[in-house]
Amino acid sequence: MKVIHVADIHIGATSDILLEAARKAISEQVGELVVVSGDLTQRGSQREFQKAREWVDALELPAIVVPGNHDTPLLHAGHRLTRPFARYTDYFGDLTRPLEVDHIGVFPLNTARGWQTRANWAEGSVRLSHLDEVIAAASAHPGMSILTCHHPFTSLPGAGLRTRTRRGEIASLRLAESAVRLLLTGHVHTPHAERIDHETGSYIAVSAGTLSHRLRKSPPGFNVLDITPENVWVTPFSYEDDSFKALQATAFRGAV
């Protein structure tokens, strides 16, 4: 099974040239499903959402999408407080649901908030009751289970952005104890893959780069995950000289 993992498209802060190069590179990978881990837009406008939906549809793959903090209406504080994901739901609500392809089940979790009682409203927050619901659904799935959200549960080493996801440490522990084997996220604009180990279990945490010009430590990029019944390979693709090129893969053997 080949899974395409993208995040942080940031329509409104990217270019048609970059998006077309990404679409072409993804089509050449002949993936079987695409996971979009949030921040499809820059300001959460209708025009940005419309273009983001057109781009995702143009991939012509089964898709699962979750919102990011930029997918709330940046310029309308009232809507950001009272109905932060109404516009996102209009355009992507039908793709924000569990998706099963072959033996893989992918489950969505919203870690983004329109407003929070802390200075950095863009940070992630996990509702543990929602996480428990996702874990229960994943446990009932007969094949491999993947969870996707926008924010990493714990801060990733080497990422261009340190994260402070509320209740992230507890969420990480619960995920490690569950049947979920992979966590696919975005937000940090840096490709990264590592095994997260707890005393009671483990999972593989994978973050994707950005498909925008909002760069931190890495060029634009996306991931390709090759999943077999026993192993997972994570290959980041990086934008260089107007095209995307594969970098060295990280292998997780016996991970599934």
Side-chain angles (χ1 to χ4, degrees):
M1 166 69 73
K2 184 174 285 190
V3 177
I4 309 297
H5 176 215
V6 304
D8 298 279
I9 305 169
H10 287 290
I11 299 293
T14 185
S15 69
D16 291 341
I17 293 174
L18 178 55
L19 291 177
E20 176 56 23
R23 186 206 62 77
K24 179 180 178 182
I26 289 170
S27 69
E28 291 172 351
Q29 292 305 305
V30 195
E32 293 165 83
L33 67 95
V34 61
V35 178
V36 185
S37 296
D39 275 4
L40 295 101
T41 70
Q42 177 65 11
R43 298 186 176 211
S45 71
Q46 290 186 355
R47 181 177 180 181
E48 289 172 351
F49 273 120
Q50 178 63 42
K51 188 170 182 179
R53 183 60 194 247
E54 291 172 356
W55 186 84
V56 172
D57 287 346
L59 298 179
E60 298 183 333
L61 290 171
I64 177 171
V65 181
V66 293
N69 48 281
H70 276 269
D71 296 321
T72 62
L74 179 66
L75 301 180
H76 199 308
H79 287 178
R80 191 146 50 91
L81 178 64
T82 61
R83 47 193 185 100
F85 299 105
R87 190 171 289 167
Y88 168 88
T89 301
D90 287 343
Y91 286 91
F92 285 101
D94 61 319
L95 300 184
T96 309
R97 81 296 183 221
L99 176 64
E100 181 176 355
V101 177
D102 198 1
H103 66 289
I104 302 292
V106 191
F107 300 85
L109 179 71
N110 184 5
T111 58
R113 302 290 180 264
W115 178 85
Q116 297 185 67
T117 55
R118 53 177 168 170
N120 188 355
W121 64 271
E123 292 277 18
S125 180
V126 178
R127 290 191 178 97
L128 295 177
S129 61
H130 291 181
L131 176 64
D132 288 342
E133 291 173 3
V134 172
I135 287 174
S139 298
H141 182 260
M144 181 183 180
S145 294
I146 299 172
L147 186 148
T148 183
C149 58
H150 182 58
H151 299 84
F153 286 171
T154 58
S155 202
L156 302 175
L161 178 69
R162 307 303 291 171
T163 55
R164 295 173 57 195
T165 299
R166 182 168 283 166
R167 292 177 289 277
E169 292 289 348
I170 299 173
S172 180
L173 178 60
R174 292 191 184 183
L175 197 68
E177 295 172 341
S178 77
V180 176
R181 300 274 47 88
L182 281 163
L183 174 64
L184 306 185
T185 64
H187 190 60
V188 296
H189 296 199
T190 308
H192 184 78
E194 69 170 309
R195 190 189 302 271
I196 304 295
D197 291 308
H198 293 279
E199 290 184 1
T200 53
S202 65
Y203 63 92
I204 300 167
V206 180
S207 71
T210 180
L211 291 180
S212 74
H213 297 307
R214 301 183 73 250
L215 305 179
R216 294 193 176 108
K217 293 183 67 175
S218 302
F222 63 90
N223 296 326
V224 174
L225 285 73
D226 289 286
I227 302 173
T228 73
E230 296 82 23
N231 305 310
V232 175
W233 289 266
V234 182
T235 304
F237 280 69
S238 181
Y239 190 62
E240 301 175 18
D241 300 326
D242 299 326
S243 65
F244 285 85
K245 298 176 176 60
L247 303 181
Q248 183 174 353
T250 302
F252 298 92
R253 303 194 181 277
V256 183

